[in-house]
Amino acid sequence: MLSADSTLPADPAPAARTAPPGDSAGPARGRPPQRRRTATGRAPDRPALTGAFYSFTAATTGLLVLAAIGAVIHEPVLIPPLAASAALVHSAPTLPLAQPRSVLAGHLIGAAVGYTALATAGSSPWAAAVAAGITLALLMVARAPHSPACATTVVIVLQTPAAGRFVPLLLGAATLMILAEYAASRIRPRAPRYPAYWW
């Protein structure tokens, strides 16, 4: 029999109890609430208005110059793939996709595949689709990733431009775009230097 002054062991303090896995009272320390992560997503931060204005100005000016050159020489210098290249070069100048090696070699590979497909399979959406896939694989092997080059392949297969005029204009316009971003990145304060590498 227990004596009158004996007591049972005290129950552990609630704070010392170990909660079962997955039953924590609140979010883990250092982690934002799940609702907030879902609402904001994992997209990068919104750029400053000056950065967005710079990208708009640089890309639009370059494309207008290409359009003007095309109007003077009566050739389609401004083509959709170059507009996509301008977007990469001026808005993401540090990415591998925007470097001169990727832009120039990418469009050259895309043109070569396009004209090869045109000569062997003719002009059709089926041939354009297969040729674009081949271009993508060759870009990866050549370490020159540039997604607009796949569009160059498709344009060649579907629109059948003359190679003697199209390819020099394509490479000349791409070179002009690269040089424009090279100069612009040194004029704008605190802008990342372009290119990150030439070749």
Side-chain angles (χ1 to χ4, degrees), residues 63-79 169:
L63 295 176
L64 286 174
V65 170
L66 296 182
I69 294 174
V72 171
I73 65 177
H74 303 289
E75 294 290 347
V77 178
L78 179 58
I79 59 173
L169 290 174

Side-chain angles (χ1 to χ4, degrees), residues 94-181:
T94 59
L95 291 183
L97 280 75
Q99 304 312 308
R101 174 192 177 99
S102 296
V103 176
L104 295 176
H107 282 300
L108 189 59
I109 291 172
V113 174
Y115 283 111
T116 301
L118 194 59
T120 57
S123 177
S124 72
W126 309 104
V130 174
I134 294 173
T135 296
L136 177 60
L138 291 178
L139 294 177
M140 297 173 65
V141 172
R143 296 185 298 127
H146 192 65
S147 49
C150 296
T152 296
T153 301
V154 172
V155 167
I156 290 173
V157 175
L158 295 182
Q159 298 185 2
T160 66
R165 294 195 306 269
F166 181 82
V167 175
L169 290 174
L170 175 69
L171 295 181
T175 301
L176 181 62
M177 184 171 51
I178 290 169
L179 294 177
E181 176 59 21

Side-chain angles (χ1 to χ4, degrees), residues 45-62:
D45 294 335
R46 184 179 293 108
L49 290 179
T50 54
F53 179 75
Y54 162 78
S55 296
F56 159 75
T57 304
T60 303
T61 302

